[in-house]
């Protein structure tokens, strides 16, 4: 929805525009820095044709929400943006950003960060581990490599972490299970494992279930449940996990099996009904005996030959008893 909102004094506070009919725009106007009370900018899908993110956005310290996904933006994320110290929501997904500024750690109020589907590479930026208010991090479909930093345990407000479709390796930090609110962890597919494997672990401090996608930690990655403190290149707890899987598989039927049983019962009932119908029809036909009816109105089923020989009454019709 396209909209510009102002406060009671006439100052612009929100700008929301989306692209129509494939239009291409030159860049985000530098004059945006004049909007001193601007708190929200949503320009998702506007096509800026390969332009860079303007440094003038950093001159809007009141900015709290910035959504620029799929805008055709390229280059480095400008360090000036880190002057937006009130920023809580930052979505730059689906662009061509190639690097982050180390000063991103100054965005201390940031709660939501989406940098997915860019061309970011190298190790996971350690500066992000200083953003302790982050609840949502999505950086899937980039080219990050190396292992998860142990300092990720600093992000105690984290609920969702998606690092799938990168080139990560190594072990999952032992303290990851101590993050109390973490519920969804996607570590997706990497160059070694072509398939995703689901694993569920129990965070050490909460006892609630954390669902994971774990496949790129993968020399022996499988579908068995594992604890986050385990190295995914080892096979600890394999026997206990196998027993758990066996008990879970024996406790229920798959959807396919249930459908097969239902179809079998229906076919059996149809067969029984068909047999009953045939038996009834055969019984009915066995009663349909043709008996001669003679001209005197009487029936003589055993005397037809005698009448015929003596020139008596001849049958003129048949009737079914």
């Amino acid at each position: 929805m396209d909209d510009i909102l102002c406060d009671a004094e006439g100052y612009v506070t929100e700008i929301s525009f989306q692209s129509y009919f494939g239009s291409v725009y030159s860049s985000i106007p530098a004059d945006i820095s004049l909007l001193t009370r601007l708190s929200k900018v949503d320009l998702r899908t506007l096509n800026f044709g390969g332009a860079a993110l303007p440094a003038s956005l950093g001159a809007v310290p009141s900015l709290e929400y910035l959504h620029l996904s799929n805008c055709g933006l390229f280059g480095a994320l400008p360090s000036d943006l880190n002057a937006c110290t009130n920023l809580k929501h930052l979505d730059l997904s689906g662009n061509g950003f190639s690097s982050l500024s180390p000063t991103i750690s100054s965005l201390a109020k940031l709660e939501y960060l989406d940098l997915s589907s860019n061309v970011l590479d190298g190790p996971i930026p350690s500066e992000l581990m200083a953003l302790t208010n982050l609840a949502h991090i999505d950086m899937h479909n980039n080219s990050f490599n190396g292992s998860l930093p142990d300092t990720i345990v600093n992000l105690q407000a984290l609920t969702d972490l998606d690092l799938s479709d990168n080139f990560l390796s190594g072990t999952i930090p032992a303290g990851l299970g101590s993050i109390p609110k973490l519920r969804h962890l996607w570590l997706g597919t990497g160059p070694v494992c072509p398939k995703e494997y689901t694993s569920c672990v129990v965070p050490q401090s909460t006892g609630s279930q954390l669902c994971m996608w774990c496949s790129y930690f993968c020399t022996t990655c499988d579908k068995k449940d594992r604890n986050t403190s385990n190295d995914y290149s080892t096979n600890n707890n394999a026997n206990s996990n196998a027993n758990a899987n066996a008990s879970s598989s024996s406790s229920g039927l798959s959807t396919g099996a249930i459908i097969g049983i239902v179809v079998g019962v229906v076919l059996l009932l149809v067969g029984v009904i068909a047999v009953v119908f045939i038996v009834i029809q055969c019984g009915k036909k066995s009663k349909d005996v043709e008996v001669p009816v003679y001209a005197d109105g009487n029936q003589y089923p055993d005397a037809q030959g005698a009448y015929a020989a003596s020139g008596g009454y001849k049958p003129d019709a048949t009737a079914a008893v």
Side-chain angles (χ1 to χ4, degrees):
M1 180 178 181
D2 298 344
D3 208 356
I4 295 178
L5 299 181
C6 300
D7 61 15
E9 299 178 36
Y11 289 91
V12 175
T13 58
E14 297 185 14
I15 299 176
S16 298
F17 286 101
Q18 295 183 18
S19 180
Y20 297 97
F21 309 113
S23 302
V24 178
Y25 303 85
S26 58
S27 64
I28 298 174
D31 292 346
I32 198 171
S33 61
L34 301 177
L35 304 177
T36 56
R37 297 190 186 180
L38 185 63
S39 62
K40 178 178 179 179
V41 174
D42 188 346
L43 302 179
R44 69 184 78 181
T45 72
L46 285 184
N47 186 0
F48 293 106
L53 192 66
S56 55
L57 278 172
V60 189
S62 57
L63 196 61
E64 297 180 1
Y65 183 104
L66 180 60
H67 194 138
L68 298 174
S69 65
N70 300 294
C71 285
L73 297 168
F74 285 80
L77 196 66
S79 58
D80 304 78
L81 187 63
N82 302 314
C84 299
T85 54
N86 288 304
L87 198 61
K88 296 180 180 179
H89 182 110
L90 178 60
D91 190 334
L92 300 176
S93 59
N95 288 290
F97 291 112
S98 56
S99 63
L100 299 177
S101 169
T103 56
I104 194 172
S105 58
S106 63
L107 302 179
K109 295 183 180 180
L110 197 62
E111 299 174 356
Y112 183 102
L113 177 63
D114 191 341
L115 299 173
S116 61
S117 300
N118 280 280
V119 290
L120 301 167
D121 58 10
I124 300 293
S126 59
E127 291 81 9
L128 294 179
M129 307 307 142
L131 303 178
T132 55
N133 285 311
L134 273 175
H136 180 100
I137 299 177
D138 187 350
M139 298 195 295
H140 83 272
N141 193 26
N142 281 283
S143 297
F144 290 115
N145 54 52
S147 59
L148 279 175
D150 292 336
T151 50
I152 197 169
V153 300
N154 295 338
L155 306 182
Q156 292 292 298
L158 198 60
T159 60
D160 301 276
L161 176 62
D162 190 348
L163 298 174
S164 59
D165 297 307
N166 282 284
F167 296 91
L168 300 174
S169 60
T171 63
I172 297 178
L176 192 63
S178 67
I179 300 178
K181 298 180 180 180
L182 187 58
R183 293 295 179 271
H184 298 97
L185 174 62
W186 293 272
L187 300 178
T189 55
V192 179
C193 286
K195 296 181 180 180
E196 291 178 331
Y197 296 82
T198 303
S199 176
C200 291
V201 296
V202 179
Q204 300 165 1
S205 61
T206 64
S208 59
Q209 182 169 280
L210 164 66
C211 288
M212 304 172 55
W213 294 94
C214 70
S215 65
Y216 65 64
F217 291 94
C218 60
T219 27
T220 58
C221 188
D222 54 27
K223 291 186 178 180
K224 298 180 176 66
D225 294 345
R226 297 176 183 269
N227 189 282
T228 48
S229 61
N230 289 343
D231 185 330
Y232 272 68
S233 63
T234 66
N235 197 28
N236 294 336
N237 297 325
N239 293 331
S240 61
N241 289 325
N243 294 335
N245 288 339
S247 62
S248 63
S249 62
S250 63
S251 62
L253 294 174
S254 66
T255 302
I258 294 173
I259 293 175
I261 292 173
V262 172
V263 171
V265 170
V266 171
L267 292 177
L268 179 61
L269 290 175
V270 171
V272 170
I273 293 172
V275 170
V276 172
F277 179 80
I278 292 172
V279 170
I280 292 174
Q281 292 299 313
C282 290
K284 182 178 180 182
K285 288 182 178 180
S286 66
K287 296 180 180 179
D288 296 337
V289 180
E290 291 185 352
V291 180
V293 178
Y294 292 85
D296 62 355
N298 296 315
Q299 296 176 336
Y300 301 94
D302 298 326
Q304 179 179 352
Y307 271 90
S310 61
Y313 297 108
K314 299 292 190 294
D316 58 358
T318 60
V321 178

